[in-house]
Amino acid sequence: MQQKIFEALQQELMQAPAGTYAPYYFRYLGYRENLSAEISDLRANGIYSLFTKTVPVILKNEYFAGNKKSLFCEEDPFILNCAKRTSELVPQRGFRTNADHYAPNYDHILTVGIGGLIEKIDASMQTHRNCPEKVSYLRSMKKTLLGFREMIANYVSAAERCKEDPSFDRERLQFIIDNCRAILNAPPKHFAEALQLVWFCHLAFLMEGRYAMALGRLDQYLYPFYKADIESGALTDERAIELLENVFIRLQGDTVNICIGGQNVDGDCQINGLSRCILRAVRGCNVPGPNLSLRYTQNTPDDFLDECLETIGTGLGYPAIMNDDVNIAALKQYGYAEEDACKYAMVGCIENLISGMQPPWSDGRFDTPRYLDYIFNEGISKFNDSVGLHPGNLKDISSMSQFMSLYEKQLSYGAREYMLNFTSRNNGINQAYFTEPFLSCFCYDCIGRGLDINNGGSIYPSVHGVGLMGIGTVSDSLAAIEKVVFIDHAATLEELRDAMNADFVGYEELHAKLLEAPKYGNNDDFVDKYAVWFLDYLGSLFKQFKTRDGGGIYIAAASNISNIRAGKIINATPDGRRRGEPLSDAASPTYGRDTRGATATINSLSKPDYTNVACGSVVNQKFSPSMFTPEKRKKLMALIKAYFKKGGQEIQINSTSREILIDAMEHPENYQNLVVRVSGFSAFYVTLDKDVQLDILNRTQQE
C-alpha cells in the first residue's frame, strides 16, 4: 500500500467517534417493533435493525467500506440505559455455547451472491412449506440477509454524499461505490468486489458481537477472482497486496485466523500467487493480527517456505506452520469425509475446524499437573482449592507402574469432572431459543435443511477442544519420580511430598536431584516416553465423550497463556518447579530445560503421536535474529521439514534476542512497535502483562 495512505488509515481507525459504543441500542430498535414475536423473528428484527439503522462512516484513506465506527451513537444516556436493559432480555450465546470462533462458508456467498442466498432461502421455504417451524426460521434468515444488503446500500449512499466533500479522493470513493453496487445482488466478478463482500460479512459478524471469526482459506476462495483479474490485466500483485493490506490493518485486537496453503484431496499443494500476496500483505501491515497460519505439505515450495521464515524473522512471528498430513489424519478419525477434512482451516489460535460445515468452536483448559497433587496429599489440593480421588497411603506405592496407575485414575476422574462442567454449560441453554439466523446463512446446509446452525442445520455436529496444559511439567515430573525415588532411592514419596509442600525450602539437596533428572526436549527416551504416554492416554480418555449433538471431544496440546495462571494456583511439582511458577507452555518443553539444541528438541517433540490431537498443538520456539540470514534460513528450513516428516504437528517461532526483550521491559517507550509471538497469537510486547513478558523472555533461545 502507498505508505502515506496506509499510515493515514491507521490513524483514522484509531480515532474514536463521538458518542457511545452501543450496538445493543440498534438491536433494541428492532426488538421493540414487536416484543412478542417468535424468538427467531425477534432476533432477526434485532439483527436487521443493527445492520440498517447504524450510520455508515466512510474513511478518507480506505479502499473498502465498512467499520465499527457506525456502532457509536449520541443518544441520551437514559435512553441507552433503558435500551441495554431491554436488549439483555434477549440473551446471546457465549464462547462455551458456540457463538463464535467459526470459519464461515465464504465459498457459497462468493459463488451465488447475496441475491442467490435469498433465492435459495425462498426455494427452501417452498420445499418445507408443510413445516411451519422451518418456514418461520427460514424467514428470519432471509430478513437478516435483507438487512445485510440494505447495510451495503447505505454505504453506497454514504460514499456518494462524501463526493461533496473536497477532502475525499473522488477516485477512491468511486472505487468503493462501484464495488459495493456490484455485490448488492449479483455475485462478485472481480477480486476487489469479492474482497469487499468478504469484509462486509466479517464486519457484520463483528457488529453482532462475535470474536475470533476466521477468514479461513482466503487464498483458495478468492483465488478464482485474483487469477481472472491477473490474467486480464485488471490486477497486479502489487495492487492485490495494497488492497489486502487495506483490509488486514483493520484486524488488530481480534484473533482473526487466515489459513494459506494446504493440500487438496489428491495431495496437491495449493500454494498459489494469492498465497504469496497474503503473506506479503501481513508482513507489510506488521501488526498483531491477522493470525496467519500456513498449512504445510511435503510439496510446499521451498522458496515459499523460505519467504515465510523471512517474514517470521522480522519479529512478527507469523505465520504459524501446521503439518497438513498430521492434521488431516487426526480429523479423519472423527468420521469426516476426506474431501471435507482437506478443507479444514484454523479458528482462533490453532484450532482445526471444517470450514462452513459445523457449528462454532468451543474449548477449555485441563491442567494435568494438578492431579499429581492429589496423589501426594490424600486427594486434596489446598493450593488449588480442589478435591480429587483419595489415592490411599503413599507408603503402599512400591513401583513406578503403581504410581502411574494411580495417576491415570486421577486423570480419568478429572476428565469426567471436566466433561460434567462443560456439558452442564453447553447443554444449559435451550438451543431452539438461542438461534443464530444470520450466522446460519454461512453454514452448509442450514438453508437446505431449514434449521439453525446449532440445532441440526450443519452437516457435521459441534466439537469441543480440551486444552491440555503441562506436557513438559508432567513428563519431567514423572521422570524425576522414577529416577530419584524408584531407581536411585534418593528419597521416598513421603519425603518428596514434604519437600513439595514446603516449596523445597529446607530440601535443597533433594530439589537439586529433581532438577538433575532427565528433562523433556533433549531427545532422551527416559523422559520422552512420558510425553508419548501423555497424549496417548489423555486422547483415549476424552475420545469416549461426545458433545450434545454427537460430535467429538478433541484434545489440544495448547494452553494460550493459561499455563501462567494455572501455575499460580498449583503446588510445587516433582520436576523441581516451585509453587506459583508457570507450567510448561502448550506442547513445548519446560523453558530452559531443553539444553541440547534445536535438533534434540524437535526429536523429542516429534515422538508423541499427534494424530491423536485433532484440535491442534502449539510449539513455541525462539531463535536468535541471526538465524534468519539467507544461508541460515536453509538450515532452519531443513530442521522444520525434518520435524514435520517425523510427525511434528505445529511450530511457531519468535525471532527476538533476550537483550532486546529485557531492554523493552526497562524502556517500553522505545519499543512501542515490537511484535512478538505470544502463544497462538502475536501482540505488541510492551502491552503484555509482566508475567507474560517474562514467560516469553524465559523461552529457550536456540542459536
Side-chain angles (χ1 to χ4, degrees):
M1 184 190 294
Q2 299 173 29
Q3 192 62 29
K4 289 184 179 179
I5 296 176
F6 181 78
E7 293 173 356
L9 178 58
Q10 280 185 296
Q11 291 298 318
E12 283 188 288
L13 290 167
M14 291 171 61
Q15 292 168 0
T20 303
Y21 182 71
Y24 58 85
Y25 172 71
F26 300 102
R27 283 185 185 259
Y28 158 77
L29 295 178
Y31 294 152
R32 72 177 187 174
E33 291 178 9
N34 184 3
L35 292 172
S36 60
E38 293 290 332
I39 186 61
S40 292
D41 289 332
L42 187 64
R43 292 184 184 279
N45 289 344
I47 295 168
Y48 181 89
S49 176
L50 177 69
F51 292 164
T52 61
K53 289 184 167 34
T54 46
V55 179
V57 177
I58 303 293
L59 303 180
K60 294 180 179 179
N61 294 282
E62 64 183 358
Y63 286 109
F64 296 97
N67 53 74
K68 291 176 70 176
K69 293 178 185 290
S70 64
L71 295 173
F72 286 78
C73 70
E74 299 185 60
E75 184 58 78
D76 182 273
F78 177 80
I79 298 295
L80 290 179
N81 188 47
C82 292
K84 189 172 185 180
R85 289 202 307 267
T86 300
S87 293
E88 288 171 350
L89 298 175
V90 187
Q92 308 298 319
R93 290 177 181 268
F95 176 54
R96 284 292 185 96
T97 50
N98 310 101
D100 46 32
H101 288 66
Y102 179 63
N105 185 356
Y106 284 122
D107 274 320
H108 195 199
I109 193 168
L110 290 177
T111 301
V112 304
I114 299 172
L117 284 185
I118 292 171
E119 289 176 4
K120 285 179 177 287
I121 289 175
D122 287 339
S124 187
M125 290 172 71
Q126 183 62 24
T127 299
H128 298 293
R129 59 187 178 277
N130 295 323
C131 183
E133 294 83 3
K134 291 187 176 184
V135 171
S136 175
Y137 188 62
L138 287 162
R139 184 175 62 244
S140 69
M141 293 171 68
K142 179 178 179 177
K143 181 158 189 177
T144 65
L145 284 176
L146 292 172
F148 180 56
R149 185 168 64 185
E150 187 172 334
M151 180 181 80
I152 297 173
N154 289 343
Y155 271 100
V156 172
S157 300
E160 290 282 11
R161 289 192 296 272
C162 288
K163 285 183 175 181
E164 301 171 7
D165 185 340
S167 65
F168 277 85
D169 183 290
R170 291 181 65 85
E171 184 178 344
R172 202 173 301 129
L173 285 173
Q174 194 60 49
F175 182 80
I176 289 172
I177 292 166
D178 291 344
N179 289 330
C180 290
R181 279 182 175 158
I183 60 174
L184 279 172
N185 281 299
K189 293 183 177 64
H190 298 285
F191 177 75
E193 296 168 3
L195 187 55
Q196 175 69 82
L197 180 54
V198 170
W199 171 246
F200 268 136
C201 292
H202 186 76
L203 175 65
F205 297 136
L206 296 180
M207 292 171 70
E208 285 191 291
R210 304 188 196 280
Y211 176 75
M213 295 293 289
L215 291 182
R217 304 187 72 196
L218 193 67
D219 64 339
Q220 301 306 307
Y221 60 75
L222 284 184
Y223 181 67
F225 304 96
Y226 162 87
K227 182 174 182 289
D229 281 2
I230 289 286
E231 290 177 350
S232 71
L235 183 70
T236 63
D237 279 350
E238 291 72 21
R239 178 60 169 167
I241 292 168
E242 183 181 15
L243 296 177
L244 288 164
E245 286 176 341
N246 202 272
V247 170
F248 292 170
I249 196 62
R250 306 158 192 255
L251 299 177
Q252 295 183 67
D254 192 356
T255 310
V256 180
N257 208 309
I258 295 175
C259 175
I260 55 176
Q263 59 189 286
N264 61 18
V265 72
D266 297 321
D268 300 324
C269 177
Q270 296 187 286
I271 294 293
N272 57 45
L274 183 55
S275 311
R276 298 175 188 272
C277 291
I278 291 170
L279 175 64
R280 292 166 189 171
V282 169
R283 178 174 177 173
C285 288
N286 195 41
V287 293
N291 192 358
L292 188 63
S293 302
L294 168 65
R295 281 178 47 182
Y296 170 86
T297 79
Q298 297 298 320
N299 300 322
T300 298
D302 282 357
D303 69 320
F304 186 77
L305 183 56
D306 181 65
E307 188 171 352
C308 289
L309 293 176
E310 185 181 14
T311 302
I312 291 168
T314 65
L316 185 60
Y318 292 131
I321 309 175
M322 321 293 188
N323 188 346
D324 235 27
D325 289 337
V326 169
N327 278 339
I328 292 172
L331 288 167
K332 284 168 62 178
Q333 292 187 35
Y334 289 85
Y336 305 117
E338 185 168 6
E339 182 180 2
D340 295 336
C342 289
K343 295 176 182 176
Y344 81 93
M346 294 83 189
V347 298
C349 298
I350 49 84
E351 301 90 325
N352 298 326
L353 190 88
I354 310 298
S355 301
M357 289 187 172
Q358 57 191 154
W361 177 260
S362 70
D363 62 45
R365 301 288 180 259
F366 189 68
D367 51 341
T368 53
R370 171 161 56 99
Y371 296 91
L372 291 167
D373 206 21
Y374 299 139
I375 298 176
F376 285 98
N377 289 292
E378 300 181 325
I380 296 172
S381 176
K382 294 181 180 179
F383 309 97
N384 191 251
D385 192 25
S386 61
V387 176
L389 297 176
H390 195 292
N393 198 318
L394 277 179
K395 292 181 180 179
D396 297 332
I397 304 175
S398 58
S399 67
M400 191 64 196
S401 61
Q402 192 178 357
F403 186 91
M404 289 297 295
S405 179
L406 288 172
Y407 188 40
E408 287 181 350
K409 289 178 181 177
Q410 295 287 353
L411 290 171
S412 178
Y413 174 80
R416 295 177 188 281
E417 186 178 44
Y418 176 97
M419 287 305 301
L420 176 62
N421 181 291
F422 164 66
T423 54
S424 66
R425 296 186 185 189
N426 194 256
N427 294 351
I429 65 172
N430 182 340
Q431 300 297 331
Y433 188 80
F434 285 76
T435 54
E436 301 285 2
F438 184 67
L439 187 64
S440 295
C441 297
F442 296 84
C443 179
Y444 184 72
D445 184 29
C446 293
I447 293 176
R449 294 180 174 184
L451 295 171
D452 183 74
I453 186 173
N454 283 305
N455 201 22
S458 62
I459 292 296
Y460 295 116
S462 65
V463 291
H464 176 78
V466 181
L468 305 177
M469 290 192 292
I471 185 173
T473 301
V474 167
S475 299
D476 292 352
S477 292
L478 295 174
I481 293 170
E482 182 180 7
K483 181 75 167 62
V484 174
V485 176
F486 293 111
I487 294 179
D488 295 346
H489 303 289
T492 65
L493 289 174
E494 296 96 318
E495 290 170 335
L496 180 54
R497 173 200 61 204
D498 295 342
M500 290 188 295
N501 288 346
D503 202 20
F504 302 114
V505 175
Y507 295 85
E508 285 74 17
E509 185 177 345
L510 175 54
H511 189 223
K513 286 183 171 66
L514 296 171
L515 291 173
E516 289 169 3
K519 296 293 183 280
Y520 184 49
N522 296 292
N523 196 23
D524 186 337
D525 285 337
F526 184 88
V527 58
D528 293 352
K529 67 177 181 282
Y530 289 114
V532 174
W533 162 85
F534 183 92
L535 290 184
D536 286 349
Y537 182 70
L538 286 158
S540 68
L541 271 187
F542 283 101
K543 272 185 181 175
Q544 64 186 305
F545 302 110
K546 298 290 184 184
T547 61
R548 57 177 167 75
D549 52 350
I553 303 296
Y554 297 171
I555 60 168
S559 59
N560 207 325
I561 55 174
S562 295
N563 63 305
I564 301 171
R565 183 170 63 251
K568 290 182 181 296
I569 58 172
I570 290 179
N571 195 17
T573 42
D575 61 331
R577 173 193 148 272
R578 291 188 180 275
R579 185 182 309 147
E581 291 180 354
L583 305 179
S584 62
D585 169 64
S588 308
T590 300
Y591 299 147
R593 295 181 179 177
D594 46 343
T595 57
R596 294 183 58 195
T599 302
T601 297
I602 68 122
N603 278 329
S604 283
L605 289 170
S606 57
K607 289 176 185 177
D609 181 3
Y610 280 92
T611 62
N612 288 321
V613 187
C615 172
S617 61
V618 170
V619 169
N620 280 307
Q621 290 288 283
K622 185 166 69 175
F623 286 90
S624 166
S626 65
M627 277 296 299
F628 291 88
T629 63
E631 282 304 309
K632 290 184 179 179
R633 286 202 307 270
K634 293 178 183 178
K635 295 182 179 181
L636 186 53
M637 186 191 308
L639 182 79
I640 291 170
K641 292 169 77 171
Y643 168 60
F644 284 146
K645 190 172 183 178
K646 290 166 70 71
Q649 185 174 29
E650 190 264 10
I651 191 167
Q652 52 194 43
I653 299 171
N654 258 319
S655 169
T656 17
S657 71
R658 182 176 178 83
E659 294 72 26
I660 286 177
L661 295 179
I662 291 173
D663 197 45
M665 293 180 71
E666 295 175 352
H667 305 286
E669 68 279 2
N670 298 331
Y671 295 91
Q672 293 298 302
N673 295 319
L674 175 61
V675 180
V676 294
R677 185 77 181 192
V678 181
S679 183
F681 62 96
S682 292
F684 290 116
Y685 187 69
V686 297
T687 66
L688 297 169
D689 290 342
K690 185 176 181 180
D691 286 342
V692 181
Q693 290 180 329
L694 288 171
D695 197 57
I696 296 169
L697 176 66
N698 291 333
R699 292 175 186 171
T700 303
Q701 183 159 311
Q702 308 286 7
E703 299 292 347

